[in-house]
C-alpha cells in the first residue's frame, strides 16, 4: 500500500477522534445507553403500539425510573444513577406535543412495554442470551404491571423491580432464587432455602399455619400445601437479585453475604461469584468512582418522543462499479420489491442516485396506492454512469435535501444507502450525518467496502448489510426485507417465509416447498427473479391443489422479476413451487416469499438474528444468535440454520442449537446459538438464518425466557401470615399448527480482520463447558455435562481434565494445582453436543487430614469440581462452571430437594439413592416423629 492509500483512513480516524473531543453527544445518539459522570444517558423505553393509550402509564413509568435511580445509587454505593431517559410513544396514540424521534427505534429499545402476557401473567423479565458479566437484550414489562398497584404487594415497589432487572440487563448477573429448586441440602445436611443472603429469615407454613419443617416431610416427600414464608421485617440488607421486595434489602450480595451453596443461576453461570463481584468488575465500575458528598443525585430527566410521518430515502450508487456482477440488476430487483411490497402504506419515499455527485431522481412521494408504488419504481436508476468514482457524502447530502423538504429537518428519517464502496472519504460527512437525526441502513456490495461505511450505520442506530458478488445469492432482497420498521408493530410488518437461490442448469428445475402457517397469510407474495433473458416456467401449487402459472404472475421483463400476490388470506399449508430453466445456458433463479399476520389476535412466529462480535480479529470467533418466538413465548425444537457468505469463498452452513451448551448459555429459552470461526478470507460476511418447525414436535415453551423478579406469595407480619393474591396465570391459546412454519431473516453482516493467507495452524480450542452438574449417589459423585468440540462446539475433543478441591477459592484461582481426578475409566470425549456422564469416588481424595478445609468437620464439608477439555494439539478450553456437592451425609437423614416456585408440591429428587431411602425409611420416620413431639412441647417455630 502506498502512502497515498493511507491518507483516507488516517484522516478519517483523526476526524472521528476530533468529533469525540468536540461533540461527544453526537456519537452517542445511536449508540445506546452511555455512562457519563456517574449518570446513565440514553436509556430508551418503548411502548408497543398494541398497548392501549392510558393517561397513567407514562407517569407510572416516570415514577418507577425515578425511584429506581435513587435506589440504584444507594445500592451501588453512590456509583451510578439514571439521568436522561427517553420514552418512545407509539404512533397509535394521539399526538400530544411530543418531541419527534431522531434515531430512536422500537427495535433498539432497552425496555419494552407490551400487552403480551407470559404463563405467569405480569412477571417482569430480562432477556439474557450471553454469559456472566455480559449485557442482555432488553427488559420487558406488561402495561398491567405498570398500572396495577396491587401487584406491588408481591413484587415490591416498581423502582426496586427495575433495579433488579437493570442488573440483569446491564451487568449480566443472574437470579439468586430458583423456581425449580427452592430448597437444597447444605454442608451440614440441613434443608436450606435457596436464597441470598442466608440471613433472610422465615418459617415453614403448613395447611393450618406455621409448623416445623419436619411437619412438611412425610417419608421423604414434601407434603402438599407446604410452603416457606418470609418475615416481612428483616435485618438482612441483601440481596436485590433474590428478593428486592423486602424493605430491608438495599444492596447486592457481596463476598461477605453471598450464599455459594445455593443452587441458583447466579452460582451456576458465574462460577459461584457474588453479584456484587460481577458488577464491580464491569466496564461501568472500571471507569467511574463514587460521587463525593452525601447528597442524592438529581432526579431523571424524561423526554417523550413520538414518530411523525415515516420518511425513507433510497440513496443508490450508480457508478461504473455497479455494472460488475449484475449489481445494478440485483439492486433494481430488490428496490422494486421493497417499494411494491415491503415499505408500509402512507410512507413518504424519495430516491437519490450518486457517483462522484448526487442527483435527486424522485422527490418525496407518499404511498397511498399501488399506483404510487409503481410511480416510484419508474424512478429507479436504469443505467450506470461511466464514472467509477463514488462519493457517499454527495449522495447522503442530496438525501437529506430530499427529506428536509417535508418538515425542514431530517429527524426520524431513514436512509437506505446502497454502494459498491471504494469511497475513502466517508468520514468527511460523519458530523453532518450524526447531527441530521437520520438513521442510515447501509448495504455494501462487493469486496472494496471501507470500514467507515459501517460506522455510519453503527453511530446512527442503523443496520449494516453485505451483498457478495454471487449470481445465486439472494442477499440483496434479504437486506431490503430485513430493514426494521422502527414501530415494533409485528402485525403490520412483512415476514419473510422463504429465500433461496440456485444456479440451475439448462432444462433443469428449482423445486421446493414453503409453509404458510395460520398465523400469517395476509398479503402473501411470491417473487421470482432471474439473471438473463426471459422468465423461467413457473408452477405454483397451493395446499388445496390450485395451480398458478407464469401467466398469473406480474412480470417486469426489464427488471427480470415476476410477482404473484395471493388475494385475501393465503391457504395455510405446504405451497410447492417449480421453476424450469427453459434456456440453453446456466440461469440464476431465486425465490422470495413474504406475508403478514393473519390476525391481530395471534402474534406470528418471528426470528431475530444478531451477532455478539461484528468486527472480530482472527482467531476470535463470532457468536451467532437467533431468537425464535411467538409473541414473548420461546419456540423450542425448531430447526435453525445459519448461512454465512464471505466475499469470495463458498457459503458456510451452520446449524444453531438451544441446548444450553457452547455458545448457548440457557437451554430452551428460544435463543439458538453457535460459534462461527470458519473464516476463509478477510473482509465482510453476510448472515442469514432459516427456521423450520415441524408440527409433530412440541414447540411452544410454557414460560417466557429470561431472568425475572420474584413474586412473593406472602409474608409473616407481627406473627401473622399475610398471603398475597395468587399470581395471575394466563393460559396460552394455541391454534392448531397442522403444518408447522418456516421463517427467514437476514442477520446483517460482520467483518473479520487478520485472517492469514495460508491455512492457519490449529488456533481454536474446545469451548468452555457451562453446564457441569454434580450429584452424590451413595458414596460416589456423578458428573454430567455437554461435550464440547475439537474446535469450540464443533468436532470431537481429545481428552478431559477434571479437578476437585474442598476450597472454592483454590479451584477458582488455581485450577492447575487442584486435586486431579482419575478419569481412566472415562472413554474418549464424544461428539460435540452429546451428554457426558462420569462417576468417581471422592473418598480417594478426601480422607486424608491434609484435605480437610479449615472450620469444617468430616461430616460437614463439600467438594467443588471443574473440568476443561483438551484438543489433539493440546489447546485447552477455559475452565468450566464450578459444580459442588455435599459429602459424608449421615444415612439416617437423607435430604430431598423441593420443586415449584416456593410451593412444595410432589416428589422431589433425593440426593441419596432409592435403595438407601427404602432401607432407612422406618428409622427416619421414627426420628422425625420424635423430633416433632419435642418441637410441640417447646411450642416454637424453627427458622431456616
Amino acid at each position: 500500500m502506498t502512502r497515498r492509500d493511507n491518507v483516507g483512513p488516517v484522516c478519517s480516524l483523526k476526524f472521528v477522534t476530533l468529533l469525540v473531543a468536540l461533540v461527544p453527544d453526537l456519537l452517542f445518539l445511536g449508540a445506546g445507553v452511555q455512562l457519563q459522570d456517574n449518570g446513565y444517558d440514553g436509556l430508551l423505553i418503548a411502548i408497543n403500539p398494541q398497548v392501549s393509550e392510558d393517561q397513567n402509564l407514562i407517569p407510572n413509568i416516570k415514577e418507577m425510573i425515578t425511584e429506581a435511580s435513587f435506589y440504584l445509587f444507594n445500592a451501588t454505593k453512590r456509583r451510578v444513577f439514571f439521568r436522561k431517559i427517553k420514552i418512545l410513544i407509539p404512533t397509535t396514540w394521539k399526538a400530544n406535543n411530543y418531541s419527534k424521534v431522531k434515531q430512536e427505534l422500537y427495535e433498539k429499545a432497552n425496555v419494552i412495554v407490551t400487552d403480551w402476557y407470559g404463563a405467569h401473567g405480569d412477571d417482569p423479565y430480562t432477556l439474557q442470551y450471553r454469559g456472566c458479566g455480559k449485557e442482555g437484550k432488553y427488559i420487558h414489562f406488561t402495561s398491567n404491571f405498570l398500572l396495577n398497584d396491587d401487584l406491588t404487594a408481591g413484587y415490591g415497589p416498581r423502582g426496586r423491580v427495575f433495579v433488579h432487572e437493570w442488573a440483569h440487563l446491564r451487568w449480566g448477573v443472574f437470579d439468586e432464587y430458583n423456581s425449580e429448586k427452592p430448597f437444597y441440602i447444605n454442608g451440614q445436611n440441613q434443608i436450606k432455602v435457596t436464597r441470598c443472603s442466608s440471613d433472610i429469615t422465615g418459617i415453614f407454613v403448613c395447611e393450618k399455619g406455621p409448623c416445623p419443617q419436619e411437619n412438611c416431610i412425610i417419608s421423604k416427600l414434601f407434603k402438599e400445601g407446604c410452603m416457606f414464608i418470609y418475615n416481612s421485617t428483616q435485618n438482612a440488607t441483601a440481596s436485590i437479585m433474590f428478593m428486592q421486595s423486602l424493605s430491608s434489602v438495599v444492596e447486592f450480595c457481596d463476598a461477605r453475604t453471598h450464599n455459594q451453596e445455593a443452587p441458583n443461576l447466579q452460582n451456576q453461570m458465574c462460577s459461584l461469584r457474588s453479584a456484587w463481584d460481577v458488577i464491580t468488575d464491569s466496564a461501568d465500575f472500571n471507569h467511574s468512582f463514587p460521587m463525593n458528598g452525601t447528597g442524592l443525585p438529581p432526579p431523571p430527566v424524561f423526554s417523550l418522543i413520538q414518530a411523525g410521518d415515516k420518511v425513507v430515502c433510497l440513496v443508490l450508487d450508480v457508478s461504473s462499479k455497479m455494472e460488475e456482477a449484475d449489481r445494478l440488476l440485483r439492486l433494481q430487483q430488490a428496490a422494486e420489491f421493497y417499494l411494491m411490497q415491503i415499505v408500509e402504506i402512507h410512507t413518504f419515499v424519495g430516491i437519490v442516485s450518486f457517483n462522484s455527485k448526487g442527483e435527486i431522481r424522485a422527490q418525496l412521494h407518499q404511498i397511498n396506492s399501488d399506483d404510487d408504488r409503481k410511480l416510484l419504481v419508474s424512478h429507479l436508476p436504469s443505467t450506470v454512469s461511466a464514472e467509477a468514482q463514488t462519493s457517499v457524502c454527495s449522495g447522503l447530502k442530496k438525501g437529506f435535501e430530499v427529506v428536509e423538504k417535508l418538515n425542514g429537518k431530517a429527524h426520524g428519517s431513514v436512509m437506505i444507502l446502497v454502494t459498491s464502496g471504494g469511497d475513502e472519504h466517508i468520514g468527511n460527512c460523519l458530523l453532518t450525518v450524526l447531527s441530521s437525526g437520520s438513521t442510515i441502513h447501509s448495504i455494501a456490495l462487493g469486496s472494496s467496502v471501507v470500514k467507515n461505511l459501517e460506522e455510519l450505520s453503527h453511530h446512527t442506530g442503523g443496520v449494516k448489510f453485505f451483498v457478495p458478488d454471487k449470481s445465486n445469492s439472494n442477499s440483496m432482497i434479504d437486506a431490503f426485507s430485513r430493514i426494521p420498521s422502527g414501530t415494533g408493530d409485528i402485525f403490520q410488518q412483512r415476514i419473510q417465509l422463504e429465500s433461496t437461490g440456485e444456479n440451475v442448469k439448462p432444462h433443469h428445475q428449482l423445486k421446493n416447498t414453503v409453509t404458510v402457517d395460520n398465523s400469517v397469510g395476509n398479503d402473501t407474495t411470491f417473487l421470482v427473479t432471474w439473471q438473463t433473458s426471459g422468465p423461467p416456467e413457473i408452477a405454483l401449487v397451493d395446499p388445496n391443489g390450485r395451480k398458478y402459472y407464469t401467466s398469473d404472475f406480474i412480470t417486469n421483463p426489464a427488471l427480470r422479476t415476476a410477482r404473484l400476490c395471493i388475494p385475501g388470506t393465503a391457504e395455510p399449508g405446504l405451497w410447492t413451487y417449480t421453476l424450469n430453466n427453459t434456456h440453453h445456458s446456466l440461469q440464476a433463479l431465486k425465490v422470495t416469499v413474504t406475508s403478514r399476520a393473519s390476525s391481530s389476535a395471534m402474534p406470528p412466529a418471528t426470528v431475530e438474528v444478531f451477532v455478539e462480535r461484528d468486527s472480530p480479529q482472527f482467531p476470535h470467533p463470532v457468536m451467532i444468535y437467533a431468537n425464535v418466538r411467538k409473541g414473548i413465548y420461546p419456540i423450542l425444537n425448531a430447526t435453525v440454520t445459519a448461512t454465512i457468505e464471505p466475499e469470495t469463498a463458498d457459503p458456510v452452513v451452520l446449524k444453531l442449537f438451544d441446548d444450553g451448551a457452547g455458545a448457548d448459555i440457557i437451554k430452551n429459552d428460544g435463543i439458538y446459538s453457535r460459534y462461527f470461526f470458519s473464516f476463509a478470507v478477510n473482509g465482510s460476511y453476510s448472515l442469514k438464518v432459516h427456521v423450520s418447525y415441524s408440527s409433530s414436535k412440541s414447540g411452544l415453551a410454557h414460560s417466557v425466557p429470561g431472568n425475572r423478579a420474584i413474586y412473593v406469595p406472602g409474608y409473616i407480619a407481627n406473627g401473622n401470615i399475610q398471603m398475597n393474591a395468587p399470581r395471575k396465570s394466563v393460559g396460552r391459546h394455541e391454534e392448531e399448527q397442522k403444518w408447522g412454519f418456516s421463517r427467514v431473516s437476514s442477520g446483517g453482516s460482520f467483518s473479520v480482520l487478520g485472517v492469514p493467507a495460508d491455512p492457519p495452524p490449529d488456533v481454536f480450542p474446545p469451548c468452555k463447558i457451562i453446564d457441569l452438574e454434580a450429584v452424590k449417589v451413595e458414596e460416589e459423585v456423578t458428573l454430567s455435562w455437554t461435550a464440547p468440540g475439537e474446535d469450540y462446539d464443533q468436532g470431537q475433543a481429545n481428552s478431559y481434565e477434571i479437578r476437585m478441591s474442598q476450597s472454592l477459592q483454590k479451584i477458582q484461582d488455581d485450577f492447575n494445582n487442584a486435586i486431579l481426578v482419575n478419569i481412566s475409566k472415562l472413554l474418549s470425549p464424544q461428539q460435540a453436543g452429546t451428554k457426558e456422564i462420569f462417576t468417581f469416588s471422592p473418598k480417594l481424595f478426601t480422607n486424608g487430614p491434609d484435605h480437610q478445609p479449615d472450620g469444617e468437620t468430616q461430616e460437614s464439608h463439600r467438594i467443588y469440581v471443574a473440568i476443561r477439555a483438551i484438543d489433539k494439539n493440546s489447546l485447552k478450553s477455559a475452565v468450566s462452571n464450578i459444580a459442588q456437592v455435599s459429602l459424608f451425609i449421615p444415612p439416617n437423614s437423607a435430604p430431598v430437594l423441593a420443586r415449584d416456585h416456593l410451593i412444595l408440591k410432589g416428589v422431589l429428587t433425593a440426593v441419596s439413592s432409592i435403595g438407601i431411602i427404602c432401607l432407612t425409611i422406618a428409622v427416619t420416620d421414627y426420628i422425625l416423629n420424635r423430633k416433632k413431639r419435642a418441637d410441640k412441647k417447646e411450642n416454637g417455630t424453627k427458622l431456616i
Side-chain angles (χ1 to χ4, degrees):
M1 181 180 286
T2 65
R3 184 180 184 278
R4 178 181 176 85
D5 294 327
N6 279 302
V7 170
V10 171
C11 290
S12 297
L13 180 60
K14 290 181 178 178
F15 188 68
V16 172
T17 304
L18 182 62
L19 282 177
V20 173
L22 296 179
V23 282
D25 288 346
L26 289 180
L27 289 179
F28 296 150
L29 283 175
V33 180
Q34 299 293 326
L35 179 63
Q36 300 182 77
D37 298 327
N38 299 95
Y40 288 114
D41 296 336
L43 176 66
L44 179 61
I45 302 172
I47 302 173
N48 189 277
Q50 297 296 316
V51 174
S52 300
E53 187 166 1
D54 190 297
Q55 62 180 357
N56 294 319
L57 186 57
I58 294 175
N60 284 8
I61 291 174
K62 290 181 176 181
E63 181 181 351
M64 175 180 69
I65 302 299
T66 301
E67 179 186 17
S69 184
F70 297 130
Y71 186 58
L72 180 68
F73 183 70
N74 290 324
T76 58
K77 300 174 175 54
R78 306 181 57 81
R79 210 64 170 264
V80 293
F81 63 94
F82 297 112
R83 181 166 42 221
K84 294 180 181 179
I85 315 297
K86 297 177 182 178
I87 302 177
L88 180 59
I89 310 298
T91 55
T92 50
W93 290 21
K94 62 184 179 183
N96 191 19
N97 294 321
Y98 301 123
S99 299
K100 296 302 180 183
V101 300
K102 292 183 179 179
Q103 294 156 342
E104 299 85 5
L105 302 174
Y106 181 93
E107 291 82 0
K108 299 287 185 180
N110 312 106
V111 182
I112 59 175
V113 179
T114 78
D115 275 342
W116 292 341
Y117 297 93
H120 298 301
D122 296 290
D123 275 357
Y125 73 88
T126 300
L127 189 63
Q128 293 180 267
Y129 63 97
R130 303 193 293 173
C132 181
K134 303 293 183 65
E135 287 191 53
K137 190 71 174 169
Y138 56 75
I139 298 171
H140 175 272
F141 293 109
T142 65
S143 58
N144 189 57
F145 172 83
L146 296 168
L147 293 170
N148 187 352
D149 292 338
D150 293 339
L151 293 175
T152 59
Y155 293 106
R158 296 188 187 102
R160 287 169 168 251
V161 173
F162 189 86
V163 171
H164 176 101
E165 300 303 333
W166 178 257
H168 286 315
L169 180 74
R170 185 69 178 184
W171 300 313
V173 296
F174 293 84
D175 287 327
E176 292 168 342
Y177 68 91
N178 189 334
S179 308
E180 300 295 319
K181 297 179 181 178
F183 292 84
Y184 68 99
I185 309 302
N186 72 356
Q188 287 73 39
N189 196 42
Q190 297 170 325
I191 297 177
K192 291 289 184 179
V193 182
T194 302
R195 59 192 162 182
C196 194
S197 70
S198 299
D199 296 332
I200 295 179
T201 60
I203 64 172
F204 276 101
V205 175
C206 303
E207 293 177 350
K208 297 181 180 180
C211 59
Q213 71 177 49
E214 289 79 2
N215 286 21
C216 284
I217 303 175
I218 302 176
S219 302
K220 306 303 170 292
L221 309 183
F222 277 99
K223 186 178 179 180
E224 183 83 13
C226 284
M227 64 181 68
F228 191 84
I229 303 296
Y230 295 91
N231 295 318
S232 61
T233 302
Q234 302 275 348
N235 293 322
T237 57
S239 166
I240 293 171
M241 301 316 296
F242 172 63
M243 193 173 288
Q244 73 289 328
S245 57
L246 293 172
S247 59
S248 68
V249 170
V250 293
E251 60 186 16
F252 298 95
C253 263
D254 56 18
R256 175 180 52 86
T257 57
H258 181 58
N259 180 6
Q260 294 174 334
E261 291 185 331
N264 55 39
L265 206 54
Q266 172 64 24
N267 279 331
Q268 177 187 334
M269 299 304 303
C270 298
S271 291
L272 310 184
R273 296 170 63 196
S274 72
W276 185 245
D277 184 33
V278 176
I279 292 170
T280 54
D281 199 34
S282 67
D284 286 351
F285 279 59
N286 288 333
H287 299 124
S288 66
F289 299 93
M291 290 178 61
N292 295 323
T294 59
L296 292 174
V301 176
F302 295 90
S303 301
L304 305 183
I305 56 176
Q306 187 180 46
D309 294 319
K310 185 167 183 181
V311 180
V312 176
C313 186
L314 306 185
V315 182
L316 310 177
D317 188 347
V318 292
S319 68
S320 61
K321 291 184 179 180
M322 292 295 293
E323 200 166 25
E324 302 171 11
D326 287 328
R327 291 175 183 172
L328 180 64
L329 174 63
R330 289 187 291 153
L331 168 59
Q332 291 170 323
Q333 293 171 340
E336 183 210 33
F337 186 63
Y338 177 79
L339 293 172
M340 293 301 301
Q341 302 297 144
I342 302 295
V343 67
E344 292 92 341
I345 194 78
H346 306 313
T347 301
F348 287 88
V349 180
I351 302 175
V352 166
S353 63
F354 68 94
N355 42 37
S356 63
K357 298 179 180 180
E359 178 187 356
I360 298 174
R361 305 186 70 89
Q363 296 286 357
L364 286 182
H365 188 85
Q366 189 174 30
I367 295 177
N368 295 307
S369 66
D370 275 357
D371 288 339
D372 295 318
R373 296 179 184 273
K374 292 174 184 177
L375 178 63
L376 286 165
V377 170
S378 69
H379 290 291
L380 290 173
S382 57
T383 59
V384 300
S385 71
E387 188 177 8
Q389 186 178 354
T390 59
S391 173
V392 169
C393 290
S394 297
L396 290 174
K397 183 179 179 181
K398 285 295 182 181
F400 295 143
E401 182 180 327
V402 168
V403 300
E404 287 171 356
K405 288 186 177 180
L406 186 64
N407 295 312
K409 293 182 179 180
H411 290 177
S413 65
V414 171
M415 300 284 163
I416 301 177
L417 171 63
V418 184
T419 179
S420 58
D423 182 1
E424 299 284 357
H425 304 286
I426 297 176
N428 293 345
C429 60
L430 186 56
L431 177 58
T432 302
V433 171
L434 295 177
S435 61
S436 70
S438 181
T439 298
I440 313 296
H441 302 298
S442 61
I443 304 176
L445 285 65
S447 58
S448 57
V449 178
V450 295
K451 178 68 176 177
N452 283 345
L453 180 64
E454 298 179 351
E455 294 300 314
L456 289 179
S457 296
H458 173 71
H459 287 303
T460 62
V463 184
K464 56 188 177 68
F465 302 92
F466 164 69
V467 178
D469 286 333
K470 297 172 184 175
S471 58
N472 63 339
S473 173
N474 213 22
S475 297
M476 183 79 80
I477 290 176
D478 295 336
F480 273 94
S481 300
R482 167 65 177 79
I483 291 171
S485 68
T487 66
D489 192 350
I490 191 61
F491 296 100
Q492 297 299 319
Q493 294 171 16
R494 187 164 285 275
I495 296 171
Q496 199 169 1
L497 310 184
E498 173 75 313
S499 172
T500 188
E502 286 187 17
N503 289 318
V504 180
K505 296 179 180 179
H507 308 295
H508 284 65
Q509 61 183 213
L510 168 61
K511 184 175 182 179
N512 212 336
T513 60
V514 58
T515 302
V516 177
D517 60 283
N518 58 358
S519 71
V520 296
N522 288 350
D523 297 330
T524 302
T525 301
F526 288 78
L527 174 70
V528 176
T529 64
W530 58 94
Q531 187 178 12
T532 59
S533 185
E537 286 184 355
I538 305 173
L540 175 66
V541 184
D542 77 4
N544 293 328
R546 179 179 176 179
K547 297 181 179 179
Y548 301 86
Y549 298 101
T550 309
S551 58
D552 297 308
F553 283 66
I554 299 173
T555 303
N556 187 328
L559 301 187
R560 298 166 196 169
T561 64
R563 180 168 40 89
L564 174 66
C565 299
I566 306 300
T569 301
E571 188 71 25
L574 291 176
W575 291 65
T576 303
Y577 59 84
T578 305
L579 309 182
N580 288 303
N581 180 11
T582 58
H583 299 283
H584 299 289
S585 60
L586 193 73
Q587 181 87 294
L589 302 179
K590 288 168 278 191
V591 177
T592 303
V593 183
T594 62
S595 187
R596 299 188 198 272
S598 59
S599 167
S600 61
M602 177 173 54
T606 59
V607 55
E608 179 188 13
V609 186
F610 41 91
V611 297
E612 179 171 1
R613 289 193 179 101
D614 62 1
S615 298
Q617 184 79 24
F618 182 88
H620 296 295
V622 172
M623 276 75 90
I624 298 173
Y625 303 99
N627 186 11
V628 185
R629 65 188 186 276
K630 187 171 185 180
I632 61 173
Y633 285 102
I635 294 175
L636 313 182
N637 302 316
T639 300
V640 183
T641 306
T643 301
I644 303 102
E645 291 186 276
E647 291 181 358
T648 54
D650 293 332
V652 177
V653 177
L654 194 64
K655 190 172 182 180
L656 311 184
F657 298 103
D658 184 18
D659 57 359
D664 190 74
I665 67 162
I666 298 178
K667 184 177 182 179
N668 291 339
D669 64 349
I671 298 181
Y672 296 74
S673 318
R674 200 75 186 275
Y675 290 104
F676 173 70
F677 51 88
S678 301
F679 307 124
V681 293
N682 286 305
S684 298
Y685 289 70
S686 177
L687 171 63
K688 177 168 64 177
V689 166
H690 291 76
V691 178
S692 63
Y693 168 70
S694 170
S695 60
S696 63
K697 298 178 181 179
S698 176
L700 204 58
H702 290 278
S703 63
V704 298
N707 284 261
R708 59 185 61 82
I710 190 173
Y711 183 87
V712 181
Y715 297 99
I716 303 296
N718 299 321
N720 298 316
I721 301 173
Q722 297 180 354
M723 299 303 294
N724 293 319
R727 184 171 48 171
K728 181 176 67 174
S729 179
V730 179
R732 291 181 291 114
H733 177 63
E734 292 189 47
E735 298 288 338
E736 181 185 6
Q737 291 292 333
K738 186 176 180 181
W739 299 104
F741 67 83
S742 61
R743 297 289 185 269
V744 178
S745 180
S746 171
S749 66
F750 58 88
S751 300
V752 182
L753 301 174
V755 179
D758 298 323
D762 182 13
V763 292
F764 304 116
C767 65
K768 175 182 176 179
I769 295 167
I770 61 174
D771 61 346
L772 178 66
E773 294 184 353
V775 177
K776 184 178 182 295
V777 181
E778 296 183 348
E779 300 303 316
E780 296 183 315
V781 173
T782 295
L783 304 178
S784 63
W785 68 92
T786 302
E790 167 75 11
D791 298 331
Y792 291 106
D793 53 5
Q794 298 179 36
Q796 190 172 351
N798 187 61
S799 62
Y800 292 118
E801 178 184 1
I802 302 176
R803 293 183 180 270
M804 55 165 281
S805 176
Q806 291 175 256
S807 166
L808 172 61
Q809 186 170 359
K810 183 176 182 64
I811 203 166
Q812 281 179 327
D813 301 338
D814 195 11
F815 176 82
N816 290 332
N817 289 317
I819 301 170
L820 185 65
V821 176
N822 184 348
I823 59 171
S824 58
K825 293 183 180 180
L826 179 63
L827 300 176
S828 298
Q830 301 185 72
Q831 193 72 19
T834 307
K835 183 60 72 175
E836 301 268 33
I837 297 177
F838 173 67
T839 300
F840 70 98
S841 174
K843 278 190 174 183
L844 299 175
F845 311 98
T846 59
N847 282 342
D850 293 341
H851 297 138
Q852 198 68 34
D854 294 337
E856 291 191 358
T857 65
Q858 177 144 327
E859 290 77 22
S860 67
H861 62 246
R862 303 171 69 79
I863 63 167
Y864 303 91
V865 187
I867 182 174
R868 64 182 172 192
I870 306 169
D871 71 8
K872 60 186 178 183
N873 289 315
S874 300
L875 295 178
K876 298 179 179 180
S877 72
V879 177
S880 72
N881 65 295
I882 298 172
Q884 56 182 318
V885 66
S886 297
L887 296 181
F888 302 107
I889 298 174
N892 64 344
S893 57
V896 292
L897 296 178
R899 187 173 176 81
D900 204 359
H901 189 216
L902 295 177
I903 298 178
L904 310 172
K905 293 182 179 180
V907 181
L908 306 176
T909 305
V911 177
S912 298
S913 69
I914 298 300
I916 290 179
I917 291 176
C918 294
L919 289 173
T920 61
I921 187 171
V923 176
T924 306
D925 283 346
Y926 172 76
I927 293 172
L928 291 176
N929 289 330
R930 183 177 179 182
K931 185 172 179 59
K932 177 181 176 182
R933 289 192 295 270
D935 287 338
K936 283 183 177 179
K937 289 180 180 180
E938 295 174 4
N939 195 26
T941 301
K942 183 175 181 179
L943 299 182
I944 298 300

